[in-house]
Amino acid sequence: MKQIFESLEKDARLTSEQISTMTGIPAAEVEKTIKKAEKDRAILRYKTVIDWAKLGEEQVWALVEVKVVPQRDVGFDAIAERIYRFPQARSVYLASGTYDLAILVAGKTMQEVAVFVSEKLAPLETVEGTVTHFILKKYKEDGEILQGGEGIKRLPITP
Amino acid sequence: MSKSGSTRVKVAHSYISEKVTNIPPSGIRRFFDLISSMEGVISLGVGEPDFVTPWHIREAAIYSFEKGYTMYTSNQGLPQLRQELAKYLESCYGLSYNPDSELLITVGVSEGLDLALRAILNPGDEVIMPDPCYVAYPATASLAGGVPVLVPTTEEHDFKITAEDIERRITQRTKAILIGYPANPTGAVMAKKELTQIAELAQQYDLLVISDEVYDQLVYGIEHTCFASLPEMRDRTILLNGFSKAYAMTGWRIGYAAGSHEIIEAMTKIHQYTMLCAPIMGQMAAIEALKKGSSEVQAMVREYDRRRRVMVKGLRDIGLSCFEPKGAFYAFPSVKATGLTSEEFAEKLLTEEKVAVVPGCAFGQYGEGYVRCCYATSLPEIEEALKRMGRFIDKHR
Ligand SMILES: Cc1ncc(COP(=O)(O)O)c(C=O)c1O
């Protein structure tokens, strides 16, 4: 079964038939397994990795460190929930170390990101402080190297 | 040329030795020249992984450079590498080799093969090997002064060599049997039972077995049997293996030979004069590969397996008969249905559809009628190549 998901994770556009060929598992069974995983939310979504910069679309990203006061009974969960409902917060993690929440914020301009942090994030009751790091360049995202890469260097015919 | 030289009588002769003149050029080379002048070619003609060496292995090599490891190593290779190898062979195949006297680090399996043959052959000694087989087998045997004796293997028998066919070719001059499974170019593997029959034969006729197991880790849904691990075979086998294929390390040029003290010593004698030692950076990388490389190897094997299934099904779907390869990264479909020779097929396919495959005749007479398609290339490329090949077959049937 793991082979099905490994194939899909590499290429979400594979059909059940293609996966069946690759794994030797009957197509109907592949279909059923995928449906079940979708239902169980083991598969959350099918998405595409896009290098927006290459398409000429400006996007500003920031990694925001947030220090919060944990609350009785709900710990960090309640505040994390408050934050992750904002669409600007693209990823939200609870982290160990000198701060508590790590948030990846995206916006069209630096101004937009700054406004989000200062007007939405920082004023939340339990937030003690924020540190915003603007992302200057993306090298690798979610396992994909965005620029350069290695290219094929082997010769076309070898013994 | 010196003055006295120029006064010598000129005779029509070649400076090249007869031995070298007599071995045929590799059939693969000619294709290489053809392909180099073309663009947009999808090549299924390679004999190496499309993966780059896993980063942690490269990084370990860079670190060793930084630390100044730029010297010769001992002739036999870095002691630490030999120790790691001994551990590996023990845990994989239950084989115990003394790292000080029964293991030799070579410049790829290529050098190991050359050393093994040169160490054991007297002029005229015969070496039995399958046909088709890896291009270097007959040539290295000839260069070592031996005589390659080819045993036809066929698609009907899954390109396996049989003990029966070998036995019929044993003569007073037979010195060794040379096998390489999983096989290049066919992808064939041998079952333990079949190998055991060959082992019994070797014992009965007192023959050595040179076993090239460079694809040992690249098997799909079966377990590889190491020839040396068969009963009584450890000291009768020269086990050759290396890092090129499993770890995607072809360019590092590191292989090894394992065998009895007597044979390894003889091979080391040649090695110390002709090669001195294998490159240290490659040996450093190989240590890292053995210690921490296995999860990457497994991931690559899973990926090759997916591609293998797509390739074989695709070839069958376009109307070529293709036996199921269970090892290495080659499919070996028959192109007889097209009425073309394997060379014509490969040449026309390249010029008409820009897909490169290697004609089976490059691997021996019994490879004629087949082409080697390497599936160590990305799935989208394999699919595109199959589409083009399908078009080509429709035109030429
Ligand atoms: C069967 C076989 N043996 C040996 C080699 C050479 O391996 P190495 O890179 O270790 O010299 C190859 C490479 O194509 C091969 O296919």
Side-chain angles (χ1 to χ4, degrees), chain A residues 102-123:
Chain A
I103 302 171
L104 275 170
V105 177
K108 279 206 166 42
T109 58
M110 219 157 162
Q111 180 68 9
E112 196 182 306
V113 173
V115 166
F116 172 72
V117 174
S118 60
E119 293 183 4
K120 301 290 182 204
L121 212 51

Side-chain angles (χ1 to χ4, degrees), chain B residues 234-291:
Chain B
R234 201 199 86 119
D235 289 345
R236 212 173 261 292
T237 305
I238 308 178
L239 172 63
L240 304 177
N241 203 338
F243 294 81
S244 287
K245 314 289 175 170
Y247 299 94
M249 289 175 62
T250 46
W252 299 82
R253 311 307 305 127
I254 302 295
Y256 59 90
S260 69
H261 173 57
E262 186 193 7
I263 287 174
I264 293 301
E265 192 172 58
M267 288 171 67
T268 307
K269 213 193 251 178
I270 309 173
H271 174 79
Q272 77 185 349
Y273 292 126
T274 56
M275 201 61 68
L276 216 166
C277 69
I280 190 169
M281 51 285 212
Q283 295 192 53
M284 284 292 191
I287 293 171
E288 172 73 14
L290 280 176
K291 281 168 112 172

Side-chain angles (χ1 to χ4, degrees), chain A residues 158-159, chain B residues 47-48 107-111 113 134 137 180 182-184 212 214-215 241-245 249-250 253-255 330 372:
Chain A
T158 49
Chain B
E48 64 180 319
V107 179
V109 171
S110 303
E111 194 214 354
L113 188 65
Y134 178 51
Y137 295 171
N184 178 3
D212 170 0
V214 74
Y215 295 103
N241 203 338
F243 294 81
S244 287
K245 314 289 175 170
M249 289 175 62
T250 46
R253 311 307 305 127
I254 302 295
Y330 310 105
R372 190 190 73 178

Side-chain angles (χ1 to χ4, degrees), chain A residues 2-8 10-11 14 17-25 150-159, chain B residues 28 31-32 35 43 45-50 52 58 134-135 184 302-303 305-306 309-310 313 356 372 376-377 379 383:
Chain A
K2 194 177 157 200
Q3 311 149 49
I4 297 177
F5 300 112
E6 215 176 58
S7 310
L8 260 187
K10 287 197 169 128
D11 182 356
L14 291 176
E17 279 72 32
Q18 283 175 307
I19 295 174
S20 167
T21 304
M22 286 176 197
T23 57
I25 300 169
E150 299 194 299
I152 293 169
K153 298 191 181 71
R154 65 178 176 170
L155 301 170
I157 299 269
T158 49
Chain B
I28 287 177
F31 253 75
F32 182 73
I35 206 176
S43 183
V46 287
E48 64 180 319
D50 60 328
V52 179
R58 288 189 270 163
Y134 178 51
V135 290
N184 178 3
R302 289 199 300 276
E303 180 63 21
D305 191 20
R306 285 191 275 272
R309 290 166 189 272
V310 170
K313 179 168 185 294
R372 190 190 73 178
T377 198
L379 276 163
E383 275 167 0

Side-chain angles (χ1 to χ4, degrees), chain B residues 1 7 9 23 77 84 113 115 125 131 151 163 180 187 197 222 247 260 275 277 298 301 318 332 368 396-397:
Chain B
M1 195 172 270
T7 60
V9 187
I23 52 172
E84 287 298 330
L113 188 65
L115 294 178
D125 281 353
D131 178 357
V151 178
Q197 288 166 356
I222 55 148
Y247 299 94
S260 69
M275 201 61 68
C277 69
Q298 289 324 307
V301 168
I318 60 174
F332 203 56
E368 181 47 50
H396 289 275
R397 200 166 1 214

